[in-house]
Amino acid sequence: MLSLASPTVVIPSAPALVARYRAASAAIGVLVSALGAAMLAGWTFGLQHLLHHGIGPLMKPNAAVCFILTGLSLVLACREGGARAPSAALAAAAALIGLATMAEWGTGIDLRFDELLFRDDTLAYTSVPGRIAPNTALAFALLGVALLLLPSGERLRLRIAQALAIAAMAIGAVACAGHLYGVSPLFAVARRTGMALPAAVGLVLLGAGVLLARPETGTSALLASGGAGGTLARWLLPVAAVVPALLALPGQAGVRAGILDQAYASALVTVGLTGVLAWVVLASARSLDARDEARRERERQVERLNAELQRRAIELSAVNKELEAFCYSVSHDLRAPLRSIDGFGQALVEDCEAVLPPVGVSHVGRIRAASQRMGHLIDDLLQLSRVTRVAMRREPVDVSTLAREIAAELSRGTPARKVTFEIEAGLAAQGDPGLLRLVLENLLGNAFKFTSKRASARIVVGGTTRDGLPAFFVRDDGAGFDMAYAGKLFGAFQRLHGAAEFGGTGIGLASAQRIVRRHGGEIWAEGAVEQGATFTFTLPARGQGEGEAT
């Protein structure tokens, strides 16, 4: 099989070029169909004798029909979607005509379909009325099979289709050269029956259309490549295919007119071709050099961005160290004043309660409550900071056992409450046991807190899957929340209920979210006011969508 690229190498294609080549392929299909229709019109109006050159300018009617069939098949094959069946039917018809004609030439049997459309009286140009030449029939058989394979989309079939199209192009190109240089054996291969020049040109165009119909695969992939090789191929291939023929035309016209001899004409073609190739090489080199300079500029930009990223990483490291120092200061320097405020407040009430008016005792109690709340906020803030800094370790975690232990602790803390815990057995995950325990403590603690106004409550812990990942949920039948504010749930210090209604600092869910994300998972919530809430989080297996490196 002919291929410009190794089968083991995938050449990336430029989407804009792919779209452009497919449009060009469809245009070629329209063009060759119009060519076939024009040839049939010539036969209709009796123009087959005019402009006689060699074996005549008009192709046989069957060849014209084949061009119409293959051209329309190519147009349909270039469309996305459901045009495969009509395209295949048209291609199969053209292939059958080609194969049947080859059988006629090979066996000598006349199948009597050569003159179904028109009676061929051009016997001066052919020995068999109405029959297309063997080389033309072979080319249509190859192109018909290629068009049958083209819509499949399978890489092997596309490569076979492109190889068949290249073979048909070669047949047409050889015939074009024969007409150009007046060498009849290159186009007439059987008893004065040969390929007409329009047919030869049409076959070259049709083969090119098949190659361009799927430019992202196989032989055509290099032409659609956005790399330097694709650029060079797009420069050189048109020159190699078209320029020699264009340069030879005037020389051969001079030879036939008796003005030039063949050697002089060949010398002129050689000189002209050398000049054109030199220009193409220089233009290609200039284009590649510009692309190389653009690549070097992108590399310099990447280096500058890396340097900027490294500088910002150093700055971030310094900020993190300052944050750690701040947290240390908060944990040590602020705790002592708060303990003093709370302690002296308690001493004031105990020692001076007899002389303090009731309003004074109330004020001191509020001072102590505020200092204690500040202490809780500091503790939670430190916990949130540690969640993102503590080193993680991954190991199997029995989620069911963790949930049962936490549920037992919550029940012992408030024995008067009637709360039913339903914990699914066998829940297991991969993660850091301490951090996952903190997630469950926050979620179960929230569920326990927001069901406190129920006479009896129900809290469920279970497992499910989400997008193929293991997931776990905590569901309650408590106060719930309005889904319009779900985006605020996981923000630090964000609360959807007043402190007087339900206690807390608004740090727990933010900590749970950071832990889950460090494991490479996600957490979300669903609920409704007074209908409970469900918090679900995913925990990918080790190596599957992990978050931070541990």
Side-chain angles (χ1 to χ4, degrees), residues 111-245:
L111 299 178
R112 300 184 181 279
F113 70 94
D114 297 322
E115 294 185 298
L116 289 178
L117 295 177
F118 297 96
R119 179 175 177 78
D120 186 4
D121 56 358
T122 59
L123 296 180
Y125 315 139
T126 181
S127 61
V128 182
R131 184 178 299 177
I132 59 179
N135 48 355
T136 308
L138 175 60
F140 279 122
L142 295 174
L143 288 169
V145 176
L147 287 167
L148 281 172
L149 297 174
L150 194 61
S152 69
E154 295 182 12
R155 185 177 298 273
L156 178 59
R157 293 188 179 185
L158 288 177
R159 287 181 178 274
I160 294 174
Q162 291 175 350
L164 296 177
I166 291 173
M169 286 180 67
I171 294 173
V174 168
C176 286
H179 282 286
L180 178 62
Y181 290 100
V183 183
S184 59
L186 295 180
F187 59 84
V189 295
R191 303 200 300 272
R192 293 187 302 143
T193 298
M195 185 185 301
L197 180 59
V201 174
L203 289 175
V204 173
L205 289 175
L206 196 57
V210 173
L211 292 177
L212 295 178
R214 295 294 184 271
E216 70 279 8
T217 302
T219 303
S220 308
L222 186 59
L223 291 176
S225 168
T231 302
L232 189 62
R234 289 189 291 273
W235 270 98
L236 295 181
L237 278 182
V239 173
V242 177
V243 170

Side-chain angles (χ1 to χ4, degrees), residues 255 295 334 352 373 449 547:
V255 170
R295 178 186 58 79
L334 293 185
C352 306
R373 176 172 172 76
K449 175 173 62 177

Side-chain angles (χ1 to χ4, degrees), residues 346-429:
Q346 181 180 2
L348 182 62
V349 172
E350 291 176 353
D351 297 342
C352 306
E353 186 176 5
V355 297
L356 284 175
V359 66
V361 175
S362 174
H363 288 339
V364 173
R366 296 180 69 177
I367 291 172
R368 291 191 63 203
S371 65
Q372 291 169 5
R373 176 172 172 76
M374 177 63 77
H376 292 316
L377 283 172
I378 291 173
D379 291 339
D380 289 344
L381 185 61
L382 290 173
Q383 182 188 76
L384 183 63
S385 174
R386 283 194 296 269
V387 159
T388 58
R389 291 186 295 112
V390 66
M392 280 180 53
R393 67 183 193 278
R394 288 184 181 268
E395 58 186 66
V397 177
D398 190 334
V399 177
S400 299
T401 299
L402 280 181
R404 282 192 290 268
E405 291 174 356
I406 297 168
E409 293 172 3
L410 292 170
S411 298
R412 284 195 299 269
T414 314
R417 287 195 55 190
K418 295 181 179 179
V419 180
T420 301
F421 287 94
E422 297 180 7
I423 300 173
E424 182 179 335
L427 298 178

Side-chain angles (χ1 to χ4, degrees), residues 332-531:
H332 290 80
D333 299 341
L334 293 185
R335 283 176 183 273
L338 287 174
R339 283 196 297 268
S340 296
I341 293 172
D342 185 36
F344 280 107
Q346 181 180 2
L348 182 62
V349 172
E350 291 176 353
D351 297 342
C352 306
E353 186 176 5
V355 297
L356 284 175
V359 66
V361 175
S362 174
H363 288 339
V364 173
R366 296 180 69 177
I367 291 172
R368 291 191 63 203
S371 65
Q372 291 169 5
R373 176 172 172 76
M374 177 63 77
H376 292 316
L377 283 172
I378 291 173
D379 291 339
D380 289 344
L381 185 61
L382 290 173
Q383 182 188 76
L384 183 63
S385 174
R386 283 194 296 269
V387 159
T388 58
R389 291 186 295 112
V390 66
M392 280 180 53
R393 67 183 193 278
R394 288 184 181 268
E395 58 186 66
V397 177
D398 190 334
V399 177
S400 299
T401 299
L402 280 181
R404 282 192 290 268
E405 291 174 356
I406 297 168
E409 293 172 3
L410 292 170
S411 298
R412 284 195 299 269
T414 314
R417 287 195 55 190
K418 295 181 179 179
V419 180
T420 301
F421 287 94
E422 297 180 7
I423 300 173
E424 182 179 335
L427 298 178
Q430 282 279 340
D432 186 286
L435 293 178
L436 293 184
R437 183 182 185 89
L438 188 57
V439 171
L440 290 175
E441 284 177 350
N442 285 320
L443 296 183
L444 286 169
N446 262 15
F448 197 79
K449 175 173 62 177
F450 288 107
T451 57
S452 60
K453 298 187 182 302
R454 302 277 186 187
S456 61
R458 177 172 173 265
I459 299 175
V460 180
V461 179
T464 182
T465 58
R466 175 68 175 256
D467 297 331
L469 298 177
F472 307 88
F473 64 85
V474 176
R475 180 182 299 125
D476 65 70
D477 57 358
F481 61 91
D482 188 341
M483 285 294 291
Y485 303 103
K488 296 183 176 182
L489 283 173
F490 299 100
F493 304 110
Q494 295 287 336
R495 295 174 53 86
L496 301 186
H497 300 84
E501 187 179 6
F502 297 101
T505 59
I507 293 292
L509 290 179
S511 298
Q513 184 187 57
R514 293 192 182 188
I515 293 171
V516 170
R517 286 185 173 176
R518 285 198 68 188
H519 283 78
E522 288 295 332
I523 185 170
W524 64 94
E526 299 169 316
V529 177
E530 298 302 330
Q531 296 183 30

